[in-house]
Amino acid sequence: MAGRARRLADALRKAGLKPGERVGTLMWNHHIHLEAYFGIPGAGGVMHTLNLRLHPDELAFIASHAEDRILIVDDVLLPLARRFLDRTRIEKIIVARISDEAAPGEFEDYEAFIAGGDPSEPLVEPEDEFTACSICYTSGTTGRPKGVAYSHRALMLHAMCLGMKDGWDLGQNDTTMPIVPMFHVNAWNFPYAATLVGAKQVLPGPYLDPESLLDLMAGEGVTITGAVPTIWFAVTDALRAEPGRWTLPPGIRVIAGGASPPPALVRGLDALGMVPIHGWGMTETTAGATMAHPKPEMAGWPREQVLDLFAERHLPMPLVEVRVVGDEGEAPWDGAAMGELQIRAPWVAARYHDAPGTEDRWTDQVAGDRTADGWFRTGDVANIDPAGFVKISDRTRDLVKSGGEWISSQDLENAIMGHPAVKEAAVIALPHPKWGERPLACVVLRESAAAGPDDLAAHLAAEFPKWWLPDAYEFIAELPKTSTGKFQKSVLRERYADRPWES
Ligand code: ADP
């Protein structure tokens, strides 16, 4: 891998890549993408991972905004690339062949391209450790996509932290498999962290169905893997459907993050012999910033109690500082006081790439000053308990404001997903003539399972005050998902905007 990455670096330099210039990648998780993770920065360039699930219009905007000039693209993704290339400055296209299709003659073939690179040529030294190594755009669920550039320093410190016991405890005896895409937040830094410690890396390519993933996990002896909860729903279902088909390595760590995993899922992973690790992070925080690990004083706790805590709460990793700021200023760590989660760490972004008007996301931003101690305003609503465990309740815009009081849509949907008949659930706020907003639950039932609004209401009533319970339920075949596999509530809000409330 190192030799091929060095060839890529030299070939890129020979192709005229200047230090600091962006090179786009439009690829699945596979070895060529890994080579790009090293070869592009090795040539002094900045790797810009493009999200292959975005609309061509968005990709045109993002690739233009980042001023990508060179693109490395999977052959199977060329049809997508062709839909936005002419709206960008991309002038050189290098095609990675991952299918049996004949090489598209009009573009350069990746293998031929790197064959022209000399692996003994020295790599380009970054100007300093703050030099950008890669850039990734937020998926734009909150407005226009914004670019976050990651410095060599941020990625290295974050990777080192993942190696720590209370990060991911990564080491050379691990076999890693990022299911989280390499085009989103550097696959949560799996590639750099695994390479740093010398772990074997398994990359699933475009095959993300549960059977393919389980074949790899069992066949390659994966010891740590990570994905959004939606993937883990499918994987646990597949394991339960065919007991005995797959033997997973004992103690395999399963990172679930990007959205909150319902307690039923965390318990399910544990029951199936996996070690669930719930993490929270954002594009702006170089992926995982908090991870669920037990504190010493929890040593005697029953497993169920630990798992239920982990489904909800996670601890800041070393070097990460968190606080919750409400209307009254910084909130106490009492496990209840809610406010906006703010965060500070050496790998939290200090600004967005070329995005005037976004400075208010940092508390005391000093333009251009790298040492400014601004806290990043996450836009997530959270509380912190006395032990320091953080609980994310919602994104600010997902909270339901009913009669002046807040209802956490995330708490409700996780509880609904704890009902045995429910596969997926999303709760949204809809305008209400009397209360301002009230919750509507959109529910996908498991195949051949039955449950009605009364069953779900009774299930929720055991846990929540009456005024929290959704006023109505929509039973639907599928929940819309974002490009990174999260429930896309904006689509649901639009779909049901004019839905009348039954009296
Ligand atoms: P986007 O979804 O806008 O692309 P990211 O992929 O960076 O942005 O996702 C970051 C957001 O995902 C966080 O601000 C938070 O709302 C949500 N998120 C991430 N991890 C968790 C988690 N463990 N629990 C709840 N929400 C999470």
Side-chain angles (χ1 to χ4, degrees):
M1 189 279 276
R4 287 171 55 88
R6 281 174 166 274
R7 281 185 189 278
L8 171 61
D10 189 48
L12 285 170
R13 262 188 334 120
K14 285 184 177 142
L17 184 75
K18 302 271 177 314
E21 263 183 353
R22 269 73 67 193
V23 176
T25 65
L26 188 61
M27 289 192 268
W28 291 98
N29 289 16
H30 51 59
H31 73 96
I32 294 178
H33 212 166
L34 184 63
E35 289 157 24
Y37 265 60
F38 290 87
I40 295 169
V46 179
M47 174 182 64
H48 175 201
T49 50
L50 290 162
N51 181 339
L52 56 87
R53 296 219 172 85
L54 293 182
H55 190 274
D57 292 347
E58 279 178 288
L59 287 165
F61 168 78
I62 291 171
S64 307
H65 190 264
E67 299 176 82
D68 300 342
R69 219 167 45 77
I70 301 178
L71 176 73
I72 310 178
V73 52
D74 281 345
D75 54 359
V76 294
L77 295 172
L78 268 174
L80 171 62
R82 286 199 168 95
R83 294 178 60 195
F84 67 86
L85 280 174
D86 58 352
R87 287 176 276 164
T88 70
R89 300 182 193 191
I90 295 169
E91 50 196 51
K92 184 170 184 65
I93 292 153
I94 303 161
V95 179
R97 287 175 62 199
I98 66 164
S99 76
D100 297 331
E101 310 257 311
E106 78 251 56
F107 302 126
E108 183 130 20
D109 175 71
Y110 180 82
E111 294 301 328
F113 182 69
I114 66 167
D118 178 351
S120 64
E121 281 294 321
L123 299 176
V124 176
E125 281 290 323
E127 194 181 310
D128 61 24
E129 61 181 349
F130 293 100
T131 304
C133 176
S134 64
I135 185 167
C136 176
Y137 279 67
T138 62
S139 46
T141 35
T142 42
R144 248 184 164 187
K146 293 179 283 289
V148 176
Y150 305 104
S151 66
H152 287 261
R153 180 176 195 266
L155 291 166
M156 173 58 97
L157 287 171
H158 186 258
M160 285 171 74
C161 199
L162 291 181
M164 295 173 77
K165 190 117 183 132
D166 291 328
W168 290 350
D169 197 12
L170 270 188
Q172 60 185 327
N173 295 307
D174 273 313
T175 297
T176 65
M177 182 168 85
I179 301 169
V180 50
M182 291 170 83
F183 55 73
H184 190 59
V185 209
N186 300 310
W188 294 351
N189 216 4
F190 261 102
Y192 290 128
T195 306
L196 175 67
V197 300
K200 168 174 157 182
Q201 303 185 48
V202 178
L203 301 168
Y207 310 106
L208 301 180
D209 59 288
E211 285 78 18
S212 303
L213 294 174
L214 281 161
D215 284 349
L216 277 180
M217 284 157 77
E220 297 290 337
V222 170
T223 60
I224 177 164
T225 168
V228 287
T230 34
I231 295 272
W232 298 126
F233 288 130
V235 166
T236 48
D237 281 351
L239 280 168
R240 283 193 204 101
E242 292 182 81
R245 176 166 166 195
W246 294 281
T247 308
L248 299 180
I252 175 174
R253 282 108 79 206
V254 166
I255 320 291
S260 115
L265 176 64
V266 174
R267 274 190 244 135
L269 288 164
D270 182 79
L272 290 161
M274 294 170 261
V275 178
I277 302 178
H278 173 198
W280 168 92
M282 309 176 70
T283 305
E284 292 87 339
T285 64
T286 311
T290 64
M291 295 288 155
H293 290 294
K295 300 201 85 170
E297 53 269 32
M298 292 162 55
W301 283 28
R303 188 73 186 144
E304 290 268 291
Q305 191 184 350
V306 174
L307 292 171
D308 285 355
L309 178 84
F310 284 178
E312 280 199 334
R313 293 187 179 272
H314 21 86
L315 283 172
M317 294 202 295
L319 299 183
V320 175
E321 290 173 277
V322 289
R323 70 183 181 196
V324 159
V325 179
D327 293 339
E328 251 79 284
E330 187 170 345
W333 289 19
D334 60 5
M338 296 221 290
E340 183 183 41
L341 181 70
Q342 301 188 351
I343 180 167
R344 198 159 67 157
W347 50 74
V348 170
R351 70 190 67 83
Y352 292 113
H353 172 66
D354 186 18
T358 56
E359 296 81 5
D360 62 351
R361 290 297 297 275
W362 288 267
T363 51
D364 52 356
Q365 175 78 47
V366 181
D369 180 355
R370 285 170 175 160
T371 59
D373 68 346
W375 290 69
F376 176 66
R377 303 177 50 197
T378 64
D380 282 353
V381 178
N383 66 63
I384 306 178
D385 76 7
F389 280 98
V390 177
K391 177 184 174 200
I392 307 287
S393 288
D394 244 327
R395 279 197 159 178
T396 322
R397 68 179 183 288
D398 289 337
L399 279 172
V400 185
K401 194 162 193 191
S402 168
E405 299 286 339
W406 295 109
I407 297 173
S408 160
S409 66
Q410 184 182 289
D411 286 358
L412 283 176
E413 55 206 34
N414 281 348
I416 298 172
M417 286 189 274
H419 189 284
V422 175
K423 188 168 168 226
E424 291 173 342
V427 171
I428 53 167
L430 286 191
H432 189 280
K434 180 161 173 212
W435 300 108
E437 284 179 354
R438 288 296 301 157
L440 169 79
C442 306
V443 180
V444 181
L445 291 177
R446 289 183 180 280
E447 236 170 86
S448 67
D454 293 344
D455 305 305
L456 298 180
H459 172 74
L460 292 175
E463 204 177 321
F464 299 102
K466 202 156 170 270
W467 63 273
W468 269 56
L469 305 195
D471 284 23
Y473 296 81
E474 285 285 345
F475 292 89
I476 54 182
E478 207 181 338
L479 284 182
K481 311 255 166 50
T482 69
S483 62
T484 50
K486 304 181 195 187
F487 301 151
Q488 197 167 19
K489 297 199 198 178
S490 53
V491 172
L492 293 171
R493 276 194 283 264
E494 230 165 83
R495 189 184 299 169
Y496 296 114
D498 301 322
R499 184 189 187 284
W501 294 108
E502 291 95 335
S503 53

